[in-house]
Every structure is written in C-alpha cells, then in structure tokens.
C-alpha cells in the first residue's frame, strides 16, 4: 500500500488512469461521480495529518448506493439524481480514518437490482476485459474500476451476489461478509435482511485489508455483530493441511459448461496439493434459492423504497391530482422498469391474500436453505467451493428476459439467504474471459475463507489469469 507521503500522487494516478481507460460515460461508464480537486484536497489532508493508518493514501472507489459526503449518492437512479447525503456511511468513516481517499462513486444497477449494470439510469457500464460485454452487477462499476487498474480497492453491496458475480466477470476478488459483520448504516436499503457492504480487491490481500478496516460493531446499526474483528491478513501463507473442502453436487450440474467445471477441478486439485481434503457434499434445497430470493428481496424492497415519495429526497414531479398525483408522477418518472417490476412483485407477495402462499412460504424455505449449510458445516466440512457463476460475462443486451437475468445469481443468492460469508477469486479464463471460483464459509469464519483464498491464489499464480 502507498505511504502517507504519496497520497496525492496515488490519487492523481487514479485520475490519470480514469482518463486513460475512459472511465466516464463515453467509455467504460464505470465511474458516475468524481471531483478531482476535492479528492486531491482530501489526499493533501491525509498527508498533512501524517496519517499512518493501514490504508494511508490509498484511493478507493465506492458504489453509488453507499452514502458519502460531497459526492452524490444516486443509487444509479433518476429519482435521486443530484442527491447529496447529509451524512456518510460508517464504512466510509472507517475507510477515511484508515487514511483512504474516495476517488469516485461507481455505476450500478438502479438500487442494486440487477446482474449486469444495464439497469442503471445512467447507461450500462462495460467490462474492461472486453467492452462489448457487461461487467456483471449490480456492483459492476466497482468491479470494472478495480479490473481497469483505477483503484486496487472498491466497495460494493451484496443482496444476492452483487459483489461476487461482477468480481468473477471482471477477474478480480470480491467478498461478501457474514450478515452483521459490516455496518449497513448509510448503505441505501434494498432488502435489509440480505444486504451487506462487500469489498473488491485486485488481490486477496487487498480485499482482506479493506474488510479488516470496514468490519466491526456499529451503534448505528443494531444488526451489526458485537464481535471482535480478526486480522484477516494473518490468514496469509498458511498451508491447507487438515482443511476439508466440500464440493456440492448441486453447484456442478450436468448442464454446467465443461470448461467451467474443468477450471473448478483444477482449483480443487491445487488445493489438494496444498494439503486440503476434498469431499462431495449436498445442499439439497439449492434449486429453491432463486424463487425464494425473488420473493423475499422484492418484498423487502417494496417496503424500503416507499420512502422515495417526492417529499423527502431527490426528484419531485407534479401530477394532476394533488398529493396522490405527485406521488404517482414522481415514482413513475423516477424509477426504471426493473425497480418498478420489483415493487409490484413485492407488494403483491405481501398483500393480505397472498402473504401466506408466497412470503411466509419463502421464509420457511429460506430456513431450509440455511439448514443445508449448517448440516454440511456440522459434518466436518470447513469450506464449500463452487463456481461463482454458470457462465463468463455475456454481451451487452444479450439477456432481455428478467427471469434469465435472475438465473445469474443461482450460485450466489444462497449465501445471502443463509447469512454466511462467501467470496469469489479468479481461477482462469474461458474464451479469454475471466471465471471465478467461490468459497462459502460458516458464519464469521472469514479468517478460514481468506486462508483458503490466499492459498489458492498463490497456488494458481498466473494460471488464474489465463
Ligand atoms: N442480481 C440480484 C438482484 O438483482 C442481486 C442484487 C444484489 O446483490 N444487490 O437482486
């Protein structure tokens, strides 16, 4: 990491890189809001106070649904266009206290709903590895920023895979912590029982460092866990002797692309060579994760997004018919089609006549999915290893059917439903496009997860990028 003295140099280099790769709307469109002079002034302030924190002088990029002072927080939506938060998220305070400098807010699917960043009201972001392809989503802008070499660390948010899936598509590391490990204060709520702030890193070490800084109890978030934060970087350099890795058959269906399977098998072999034992396991309710997720997440979203009413935040459009008309006009103009679809779906499954059939049933099945993980972890398995996604990044515009888009989360939504930590690291390429391998661990076993990720990253070396 850079030293305090070079904070302004590091921040200036980030902005130069943004120009080189065209991070703005005329290029990758991964960066939505920046203010070079303000970021440089922040960097100078870091230097002047002689900051020695773990991230002293490190440029970071932040998904646009995490509240920052000064720069806008629009959640990739028209309804919050130009909105600047009156307070900042706890994760941002922690990053700044560790000496980091925010260099911009990144593009994302509107209110984090999507898997490609094509649902952003500010146009789609593009994958730096192949700009004709999506970077994944919803935190696609943050993944692209790290993949393009603008910053080594970026924040994203996870509700059902939105850090891991874009990390896999862009060939970077993406971590979703245990539910409650990181404060949600200042993360604009999508589905509160699933949401967590996650991190992207150019390497496992970058991600471990960032997670160490942002994790921990926060009086502003009553769901944040009152547990000590281990030093995740201490997990580096440990062999995998005695570690049992489960390979769940449901994540390796017969229909899985043979090349994806081969890359996962190569990764498992590499871990065996490091001393790990690989065991076949089963998580029998896996195929119910998508239907369950797409009931619970929209239900919670429909309630959380009720606050965007033209009165309290951002956009207000006058309608024909007094207050009611203003609500209708503001929300109809302000929300895009995917957000509207989720609100409709969510209010439907929560309505009196359907609550038991959909929402209550989904909560029951969610418990079964969580129990699958408990059973496997209680049987002596330390970690689960799977592909992060069924395919590499697809072309922009290739998936127009909402349900087909939802299937992108098939291997990732389970960890959010169960609240367990999970991460994606690069394990190779298919047709020149990055592919991710996913580790899933027991609640609060981020150290075990990082240990395996460090070991696999080391074992694969340059192979992970080929
Ligand atoms: N792709 C999923 C969705 O559209 C997950 C989003 C997320 O994790 N924020 O809801």
């Amino acid at each position: 990491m850079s030293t305090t003295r070079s904070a302004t140099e590091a921040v200036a280099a980030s902005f130069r890189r943004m120009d080189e790769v065209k991070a703005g709307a005329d290029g990758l469109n991964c960066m939505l809001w920046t203010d070079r002079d303000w970021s440089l002034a922040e960097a100078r302030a870091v230097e002047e106070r002689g900051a020695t924190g773990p991230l002293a002088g490190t440029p970071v990029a932040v998904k646009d649904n995490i509240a920052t002072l000064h720069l806008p927080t629009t959640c990739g939506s028209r309804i919050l266009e130009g909105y600047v938060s009156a307070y900042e998220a706890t994760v941002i305070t922690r990053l700044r206290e560790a000496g980091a400098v925010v260099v911009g807010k990144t593009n994302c699917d509107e209110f984090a709903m999507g898997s490609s960043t094509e649902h952003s009201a500010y146009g789609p972001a593009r994958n730096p590895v192949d700009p004709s392809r999506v970077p994944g989503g919803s935190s696609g802008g943050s993944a692209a920023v790290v993949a393009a070499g603008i910053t080594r660390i970026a924040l994203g948010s996870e509700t059902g895979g939105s850090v891991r899936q874009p990390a896999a598509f862009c060939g970077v590391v993406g971590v979703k912590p245990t539910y409650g490990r990181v404060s949600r204060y200042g993360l604009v709520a999508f589905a509160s029982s699933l949401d967590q702030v996650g991190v992207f890193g150019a390497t496992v070490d970058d991600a471990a460092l960032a997670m160490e800084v942002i994790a921990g109890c926060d009086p502003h978030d009553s769901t944040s866990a009152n547990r000590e934060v281990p030093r995740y970087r201490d997990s580096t350099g440990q062999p995998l002797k005695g570690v049992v890795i489960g390979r769940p058959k449901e994540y390796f269906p017969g229909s899985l692309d043979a090349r994806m399977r081969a890359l996962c098998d190569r990764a498992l072999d590499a871990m065996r060579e490091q001393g790990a034992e690989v065991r076949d396991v089963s998580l029998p309710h896996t195929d119910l994760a998508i239907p369950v997720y797409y009931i619970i997440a929209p239900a919670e979203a429909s309630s959380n997004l009720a606050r965007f009413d033209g009165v309290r935040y951002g956009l207000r459009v006058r309608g024909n018919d007094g207050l009611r008309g203003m609500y209708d006009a503001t929300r109809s103009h302000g929300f895009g089609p995917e957000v509207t679809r989720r609100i409709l779906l969510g209010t439907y499954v929560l309505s009196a006549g359907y609550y038991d059939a959909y929402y209550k049933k989904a909560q029951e099945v969610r418990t079964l999915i969580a129990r699958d993980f408990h059973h496997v972890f209680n049987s002596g398995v330390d970690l689960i290893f799977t592909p992060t996604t069924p395919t590499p990044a697809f072309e922009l515009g290739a998936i127009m059917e909402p349900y087909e888009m939802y299937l992108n989360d098939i291997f990732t939504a389970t960890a959010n439903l169960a609240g367990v930590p999970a991460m994606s690291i690069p394990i190779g390429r298919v047709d020149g496009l990055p592919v991710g391998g996913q580790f899933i661990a027991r609640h609060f076993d981020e150290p075990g997860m990082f240990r395996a990720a460090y070991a696999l990253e080391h074992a694969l070396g340059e192979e992970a990028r080929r």
Side-chain angles (χ1 to χ4, degrees), residues 96-107:
R96 289 198 307 102
E97 282 171 355
V101 178
V102 175
V103 295
K105 300 298 284 288
T106 62
N107 203 357

Side-chain angles (χ1 to χ4, degrees), residues 71 110 112 141 226 260 317 385 416:
L71 294 173
E110 188 176 0
N226 191 2
M260 301 287 291
V317 181
F385 184 78
N416 302 75

Side-chain angles (χ1 to χ4, degrees), residues 205 208-209 212 229-238 447-448 450-451 454:
D205 200 51
L209 171 58
E212 226 170 83
V229 180
R231 285 177 48 95
Y232 299 133
R233 278 171 301 159
D234 287 350
S235 300
T236 187
Q238 298 178 29
F450 278 117
R451 173 183 176 186
Y454 271 117

Side-chain angles (χ1 to χ4, degrees), residues 62-398:
V62 177
K63 187 177 182 180
D64 198 32
N65 63 348
I66 298 173
T68 47
L69 298 170
H70 187 77
L71 294 173
T73 299
T74 71
C75 299
S77 181
R78 289 277 169 225
I79 211 161
L80 284 174
E81 192 162 8
Y83 173 73
V84 179
S85 174
Y87 67 96
E88 72 180 0
T90 298
V91 290
I92 300 299
T93 308
R94 293 199 171 153
L95 284 176
R96 289 198 307 102
E97 282 171 355
V101 178
V102 175
V103 295
K105 300 298 284 288
T106 62
N107 203 357
C108 57
D109 287 297
E110 188 176 0
F111 286 101
M113 297 175 189
S115 305
S116 66
T117 316
E118 292 170 295
H119 291 309
S120 166
Y122 304 100
R126 292 171 181 275
N127 192 320
V129 180
D130 174 353
S132 72
R133 293 180 186 260
V134 302
S138 63
S139 318
S142 288
V145 161
V146 174
I150 295 166
T151 64
R152 296 185 65 88
I153 290 172
L155 296 187
S157 72
E158 270 260 2
T159 305
S162 277
V163 168
R164 288 162 288 155
Q165 185 255 21
F169 279 12
C170 292
V172 299
V173 174
V175 183
K176 177 205 100 73
T178 307
Y179 185 80
R181 181 68 291 185
V182 174
S183 170
R184 288 184 293 118
Y185 182 73
L187 167 65
V188 178
F190 164 5
S192 310
S193 77
L194 301 161
D195 295 343
Q196 275 289 285
V197 173
V199 298
F200 292 94
T203 61
V204 173
D205 200 51
D206 293 321
L209 171 58
M211 189 49 73
E212 226 170 83
V213 168
I214 66 167
C217 190
D218 176 13
H220 291 307
D221 174 5
S222 61
T223 63
S224 73
N226 191 2
R227 291 169 74 118
E228 218 179 298
V229 180
R231 285 177 48 95
Y232 299 133
R233 278 171 301 159
D234 287 350
S235 300
T236 187
Q238 298 178 29
L240 296 181
K241 191 155 167 35
V243 174
V244 180
I245 296 176
R247 181 187 188 277
K249 65 169 193 270
E250 292 79 6
Y251 289 68
F252 293 88
S255 56
L256 184 68
D257 185 305
R259 295 164 302 172
M260 301 287 291
R261 179 190 307 274
L263 289 175
C264 287
D265 286 340
R266 179 175 78 173
L268 286 165
D269 283 342
M271 290 190 280
R272 269 196 205 93
E273 272 168 38
Q274 304 258 317
E277 179 196 329
V278 178
R279 234 182 249 176
D280 287 328
V281 297
S282 173
L283 297 158
H285 297 95
T286 300
D287 64 338
L288 298 173
I290 292 295
V292 164
Y293 173 85
Y294 279 96
I295 291 172
I296 293 174
E300 295 186 18
S302 69
S303 163
N304 276 325
L305 270 57
R307 73 191 67 176
F308 302 103
D309 57 3
V311 178
R312 283 170 282 201
Y313 308 88
L315 184 73
R316 174 181 298 180
V317 181
R318 289 199 187 287
N320 294 324
D321 167 26
L323 184 63
R324 180 67 210 237
M326 188 278 285
Y327 288 158
D328 283 353
T330 299
R331 289 168 67 86
S332 307
H333 282 83
F335 289 138
E338 184 60 27
V339 173
T340 305
R341 186 157 38 239
R342 306 272 180 120
I343 292 172
L344 289 172
L345 193 61
T347 45
Y348 179 82
V349 298
L350 288 176
S351 61
Y354 296 100
Y355 183 93
D356 284 352
Y358 293 108
Y359 186 71
K360 186 159 170 280
K361 179 66 90 191
Q363 290 291 16
E364 286 164 1
V365 179
R366 178 181 186 172
T367 303
L368 297 177
I369 291 169
R371 273 194 205 147
D372 281 356
F373 284 107
H374 291 303
H375 286 147
V376 168
F377 290 132
N378 286 341
S379 72
V381 169
D382 298 302
L383 289 167
I384 291 165
F385 184 78
T386 78
T388 307
T389 58
T391 65
F394 45 89
E395 306 251 341
L396 268 84

